Amino acid sequence: MIVLGDVSKTYRTRAGQVKALDGIGLEIPAGEFVAVRGPSGSGKTTLLMVIAGMLRPSAGTVAVGGQDVFAMSQQERARFRARNIGFVFQMFHLVPYLNIAENVRLAARADGTDHSSEVPQLLDRLGLAGRATHKPAELSAGEKQRTAIARALLNRPKIILADEPTGNLDPENAGTVMKHLADFQQAGGTVVVATHGPAADDFATRVVSLRDGRPDEMK
């Protein structure tokens, strides 16, 4: 499903060049739940952005679902991402002036299809049915993150990429978020979670430790 071939990513800074990813070769078969663990600056977010086609690597190849992501045009990548990948951010990225149902429906517009009829059922499944008309400022951090997951799920993606999805949550809400991601994986989806701690370890089928842009298998 996801194949990275000798992927590197180098950033230019005032102090010189920083290598965020250093020759990564990684294969994630369909149906896996992979936790990518590492400290800040280890390359976790860069890795997810490269897989999603949002950040072009400096070298190497990225294939998702058998397609070379960076052989596509920018518009083709955007369409491919909307149809195949749901992205969950640590900071939620909800539109503050839209209510929860409207925030989730934004994903349907990005995909060019109309799944809006499924929003009530999706919110109910994530325990948000009573919050559909509330704005993000009226929600707890856990409710905001579950809204972000609902948005990622709306287009029925094959893959969910989650960047530190429990970083702002207490242990109870962190466990709830991971359980929802595990439910997606158990239904046949593929999950890649970037985290600095062990929050995903009990749910993952595999844990990869990332340090200085290089992975080591842990589980």
Side-chain angles (χ1 to χ4, degrees):
M1 170 65 75
I2 300 170
V3 181
L4 277 66
D6 200 24
V7 169
S8 296
K9 178 61 182 178
T10 301
Y11 296 100
R12 288 188 175 87
T13 69
R14 291 183 179 179
Q17 292 189 337
V18 175
K19 185 165 280 191
L21 300 177
D22 188 8
I24 287 185
L26 183 64
E27 294 189 16
I28 301 174
E32 269 211 283
F33 186 136
V34 175
V36 180
R37 280 179 55 181
S40 296
S42 61
K44 303 186 304 294
T45 297
T46 299
L47 178 64
L48 293 191
M49 298 283 280
V50 166
I51 292 172
M54 293 192 241
L55 184 65
R56 183 179 290 274
S58 304
T61 58
V62 180
V64 176
Q67 298 195 52
D68 186 337
V69 173
F70 291 97
M72 305 176 192
S73 69
Q74 186 172 349
Q75 288 184 333
E76 288 169 339
R77 281 200 305 277
R79 286 194 295 268
F80 180 82
R81 184 166 52 247
R83 291 169 183 164
N84 294 280
I85 298 173
F87 208 108
V88 180
F89 299 91
Q90 178 181 357
M91 300 306 295
F92 321 125
H93 288 198
L94 302 177
V95 181
Y97 55 82
L98 298 180
N99 67 33
I100 298 317
E102 291 166 340
N103 265 281
V104 174
R105 287 192 189 101
L106 287 176
R109 295 175 186 172
D111 185 42
T113 58
D114 185 7
H115 296 293
S116 57
S117 63
E118 299 175 25
V119 170
Q121 180 182 1
L122 192 54
L123 292 180
D124 183 58
R125 176 151 54 102
L126 290 166
L128 294 166
R131 295 296 207 177
T133 60
H134 290 238
K135 301 287 179 61
E138 301 172 288
L139 303 185
S140 69
E143 288 168 335
K144 290 176 184 177
Q145 193 58 286
R146 279 183 278 142
T147 300
I149 291 173
R151 183 180 57 196
L153 289 173
L154 183 62
N155 291 333
R156 307 172 193 166
K158 298 179 178 67
I159 301 166
I160 286 185
L161 305 176
D163 187 17
E164 298 281 9
T166 61
N168 294 316
L169 306 182
D170 59 67
E172 182 178 355
N173 276 302
T176 299
V177 165
M178 286 300 172
K179 177 62 167 59
H180 286 304
L181 294 175
D183 288 345
F184 171 79
Q185 179 258 333
Q186 289 164 13
T190 303
V191 177
V192 185
V193 173
T195 177
H196 63 272
D201 288 9
D202 290 340
F203 302 90
T205 57
R206 181 159 48 124
V207 179
V208 174
S209 175
L210 196 65
R211 184 174 294 276
D212 298 327
R214 287 182 171 273
D216 292 308
E217 297 286 338
M218 292 180 60
K219 173 181 170 184

